[in-house]
Amino acid sequence: MKRGGRNAPRGGKPSSQRQLRVGELLRHALVAALGRGEVRDPGLQGVSVTVSEVRLSPDLRSATAYVMPLGGVGTAEVVEALQRAAPFLRGVI
């Protein structure tokens, strides 16, 4: 029988229902903050960002957001801009 599946981290146990639920709530909060234009970084001006998934650690202390600019153009610049905006986004969430 195959262990894991779509929600299983590589080589680990599958994500709990709580991790999935909180990850989805965080994803929606990130999308809302980016959609409202709250992040005023020049690297994000005029760029639509897709937040495909947010994965959380089992203790819910850390999260990893998987993002991609719409169309896949300028990925490196968008990721750098989001890393600069990370402290602000943590505060918003």
Side-chain angles (χ1 to χ4, degrees):
M1 179 174 180
K2 183 179 172 187
R3 290 196 66 178
R6 180 175 108 60
N7 300 322
R10 201 184 298 172
K13 297 185 336 186
S15 299
S16 70
Q17 192 66 29
R18 187 176 200 175
Q19 284 173 288
L20 295 174
R21 187 174 66 241
V22 172
E24 193 64 18
L25 290 171
L26 287 174
R27 187 179 75 79
H28 283 283
L30 280 173
V31 167
L34 292 170
R36 287 189 301 260
E38 292 182 13
V39 181
R40 301 213 190 313
D41 192 288
L44 296 174
Q45 297 302 317
V47 177
S48 294
V49 178
T50 301
V51 182
S52 59
E53 182 180 6
V54 176
R55 289 188 186 169
L56 284 113
S57 63
D59 61 358
L60 305 178
R61 284 182 178 248
S62 62
T64 303
Y66 293 89
V67 298
M68 177 70 82
L70 199 59
V73 179
T75 305
E77 294 83 17
V78 170
V79 170
E80 287 176 20
L82 286 170
Q83 286 176 342
R84 287 191 302 264
F88 173 76
L89 289 170
R90 281 188 203 107
V92 168
I93 292 175

